Amino acid sequence: MRRDGFVVLERLITPAHCDAIREETARLLKGAGRNAFEGFNTQRVYNVLTKTRLLDDLIDHPRVLALLDQLFEPNYLLSQAQLINIRPGEAAQALHYDDGFYKVPRPRPALGAATIWAIDAFTEDNGATAIVPRSHDWGQSPVPTPAQTIPCVMPAGSAVFFVGTLWHGGGGNHTNSNRLAFTAQYCAPWLRQQENFFLEVPRETVRILRPTLQSLIGYSIYPPFMGMVDSMHPKRVLDA
Ligand SMILES: O=C(O)CCC(=O)C(=O)O
């Protein structure tokens, strides 16, 4: 991960778990992207924590947390999570790096990190995430070209983990089948998350999440007191 900016973790969840996610997702996937970046032939499901419990184990998978522990101070956060279904005919997404919206010049340590989970196997043709190995260390320039990418080919149930400074993009889907993926992005504990989980996830849902997930969505403190509620730990609101 430190050398290449990414690492592929093979077969972390079972084929049965992938099937269950695919089945559950079928009722959630609607419409298509609103712009070329979302993908006019790509379906996305946002706010997954209020819609299904089948992704919880992916978000706080111990292998993922072990890598995040190497990158960030304790109480790092989930920044956003979504399902991404790249449909036949979709063009390759523009290359980008995920923590680019924190306008801190490169080169710099990553401020975020991401997983992209292959719920369907990722192949060269079906839209496997295209990554630019070692680009996480690049400065403000250059901007990579598609010729510099490699496809993250991996079996279903695997995840690619990469740091927030790594250039990548969704691949084009040149097959007749969908490419279903799940992505979770994380950030350092002192940064603003992309999703506003406090408004998004009702308290009764937060109460049934396990403590790791509660902490990841923001029911945690960056010491000494960032995240406080009325001078107390934010988890106190769950007892109210
Ligand atoms: O779907 C993928 O493989 C990557 C998607 C991505 O990077 C994004 O939408 O920001």
Side-chain angles (χ1 to χ4, degrees):
M1 176 187 73
R2 290 203 189 282
R3 188 194 59 198
D4 295 334
F6 75 99
V7 60
V8 173
L9 307 165
E10 287 208 347
R11 296 189 174 88
L12 294 185
I13 58 168
T14 62
H17 194 162
C18 291
D19 290 347
I21 293 171
R22 206 176 293 110
E23 208 170 294
E24 178 113 312
T25 303
R27 75 179 166 86
L28 300 173
L29 289 171
K30 292 186 192 79
R34 296 162 289 187
N35 50 56
F37 190 82
E38 281 193 320
F40 292 117
N41 239 332
T42 296
Q43 298 172 310
R44 293 174 187 256
V45 180
Y46 293 95
N47 189 14
V48 294
L49 281 167
T50 65
K51 298 176 183 166
T52 174
R53 295 274 61 80
L54 285 178
L55 301 166
D56 292 4
D57 289 351
L58 285 61
I59 294 171
D60 69 353
H61 193 285
R63 296 282 301 278
V64 172
L65 298 186
L67 288 165
L68 292 167
D69 287 343
Q70 299 293 316
L71 287 173
F72 304 123
E73 292 178 85
N75 294 345
Y76 46 77
L77 297 165
L78 182 68
S79 184
Q80 67 139 305
Q82 58 176 281
L83 289 153
I84 305 178
N85 190 37
I86 299 186
R87 304 177 84 188
E90 181 60 279
Q93 189 186 37
L95 296 172
H96 59 281
Y97 55 97
D98 281 341
D99 67 10
F101 43 77
Y102 301 122
K103 297 193 184 347
V104 183
R106 305 169 57 117
R108 56 165 167 76
L111 299 169
T115 50
I116 299 185
W117 291 76
I119 308 305
D120 292 319
F122 279 17
T123 68
E124 287 205 17
D125 293 334
N126 77 351
T129 310
I131 53 165
V132 184
R134 302 192 182 192
S135 58
H136 61 305
D137 283 337
W138 293 5
Q140 283 297 107
S141 59
V143 171
T145 64
Q148 289 171 287
T149 65
I150 58 165
C152 254
V153 172
M154 52 185 174
S158 309
V160 55
F161 179 101
F162 53 86
V163 298
T165 44
L166 189 84
W167 285 90
H168 69 280
N173 188 344
H174 311 295
T175 70
N176 293 323
S177 310
N178 293 333
R179 189 229 65 177
L180 182 62
F182 171 65
T183 182
Q185 291 186 26
Y186 306 84
C187 64
W190 43 274
L191 282 167
R192 182 162 187 187
Q193 296 146 284
Q194 293 168 69
E195 264 180 83
N196 190 327
F197 294 106
F198 304 109
L199 292 178
E200 212 173 48
V201 188
R203 271 187 208 170
E204 55 272 23
T205 304
V206 179
R207 283 194 187 96
I208 62 168
L209 298 179
R210 51 181 171 261
T212 330
L213 290 169
Q214 290 175 341
S215 171
L216 277 171
I217 66 172
Y219 289 76
S220 52
I221 288 282
Y222 178 63
F225 36 61
M226 279 173 75
M228 68 180 168
V229 175
D230 203 2
S231 87
M232 310 283 260
H233 194 285
K235 274 181 85 167
R236 296 280 186 105
V237 303
L238 300 176
D239 303 330

